Amino acid sequence: MKLVSLLILGLVLISSCSKDQTEPRIEQSQTHCDSIPKSFSTDVFPIFSANCVGCHNSSSPSGGYSLENYSEITQNLTICLKTIKHEAGNVPMPYQSNPLSDSLIEIIECWQADGAPNN
């Protein structure tokens, strides 16, 4: 009986420790974007300008999307993120080019999580 009680106590202690270890990870993910630069004019727009506007502009809006300014980018942000992250069912962007780095995608995602301010 003592052995069973000790085993149960051990399992309780181990499971409570594993919960303690996951909580900091949750906090870290919540504050992750705090360390990511995310100004539209200095961080986000240059990514779109360098990687998207060549094809997605008002002169020839490939796929019907122009991404030349804040309004156009925010209107199409959901589909843009799906395509640059190469999500299933979407044409991978930039088209026939190297994918954007994870750090560039993170900037856009954190900017969106911050409310996509026009700053």
Side-chain angles (χ1 to χ4, degrees), residues 1-2 11 14 22 29 35 40 42 45 48 64 66 105:
M1 185 68 166
K2 287 182 181 181
L11 288 172
I14 289 172
T22 57
S29 67
S35 63
F40 176 74
T42 60
F45 184 70
F48 281 90
S66 178
I105 294 171

Side-chain angles (χ1 to χ4, degrees), residues 22-76:
T22 57
E23 288 176 14
R25 290 184 190 147
I26 293 170
E27 290 174 24
Q28 181 181 3
S29 67
Q30 291 171 342
T31 61
H32 173 73
C33 285
D34 291 344
S35 63
I36 304 291
K38 53 193 174 289
S39 162
F40 176 74
S41 59
T42 60
D43 304 306
V44 176
F45 184 70
I47 297 169
F48 281 90
S49 182
N51 298 283
C52 309
V53 173
C55 296
H56 298 283
N57 56 64
S58 57
S59 299
S60 63
S62 184
Y65 299 102
S66 178
L67 301 170
E68 292 182 305
N69 58 52
Y70 173 82
S71 177
E72 292 171 343
I73 290 170
T74 54
Q75 287 173 346
N76 298 296

Side-chain angles (χ1 to χ4, degrees), residues 76-96:
N76 298 296
L77 190 55
T78 301
I79 189 67
C80 287
L81 282 168
K82 288 179 180 183
T83 61
I84 64 174
K85 291 169 65 176
H86 296 197
E87 289 186 6
N90 295 280
V91 177
M93 294 290 160
Y95 188 68
Q96 295 183 339

